[in-house]
Structures are given as C-alpha cells and as structure tokens.
Amino acid sequence: MQEFMQLISLHDALDDTEELSWQERALCAQTDPEAFFPEKGGSTREAKRVCVGCEVRSECLEYALENDERFGIWGGLSERERRKLKKRAV
C-alpha cells in the first residue's frame, strides 16, 4: 500500500511539473521580473510588450485566472484587466 501511495505522489508531482513547463518557455523568464510586478501606478507597457510575442501567453493567462493571481502582469493582462475578464465570463 505504501508503494502505491508513493507512486501516486510521484505521478502528481510529474503532473505538476508538466503543467508548469510552460513557464520555462515564457519570455518573461528571460527578462527583468520587476517589469511584470510594477509599483502601484507604475507602467505595465514593457511587460505587455514582452507578452505580445510570447508563445505561452494563453497558458500564462489561464494559470493566473485559475490561481487567482492578484499581482503582476500575467498573459499580457494586469490584475484589473483579469478581474474584468472574469466578470464578463460569469
């Protein structure tokens, strides 16, 4: 039984790794992270410019929406823009 539980834990860990592998391909991983978490009232322009050309933009946005990320630019959207998107989806 213990071996079975260990296999389940390993499988879950692999699933988590596969789910987050998009982060390794994200353009933001190769740039200044501070651009994606600007101070209140700061510009989001630089971060959004990076997001436009990112191949995993949709995965990033989906992750942020599913995990209720409240700070930063995710999938090219600010927290306020993600809130509006969620309201429209309801």
Side-chain angles (χ1 to χ4, degrees):
M1 181 68 166
Q2 184 178 9
E3 288 176 5
F4 179 70
M5 296 305 289
Q6 288 174 336
L7 283 174
I8 290 175
S9 294
L10 178 59
H11 182 266
D12 289 346
L14 288 174
D15 281 348
D16 289 346
T17 301
E18 288 175 16
E19 287 177 20
L20 296 179
S21 67
W22 61 266
Q23 290 180 344
E24 294 173 1
R25 299 188 327 268
L27 290 178
C28 61
Q30 304 164 26
T31 60
D32 181 10
E34 289 186 26
F36 294 87
F37 296 92
E39 296 292 324
K40 188 171 183 158
S43 176
T44 60
R45 188 175 300 148
E46 181 183 342
K48 289 181 176 185
R49 192 174 325 138
V50 171
C51 292
V52 166
C54 187
E55 69 177 78
V56 295
R57 183 178 177 183
S58 60
E59 290 95 331
C60 180
L61 179 57
E62 183 178 332
Y63 174 86
L65 293 172
E66 288 177 0
N67 292 283
D68 198 29
E69 288 289 345
R70 297 190 185 265
F71 301 101
I73 305 301
W74 292 83
L77 300 180
S78 67
E79 192 264 330
R80 183 185 313 171
E81 293 165 328
R82 291 192 303 274
R83 248 192 339 254
K84 287 181 184 178
L85 184 64
K86 280 180 121 175
K87 284 182 182 180
R88 280 187 269 161
V90 174

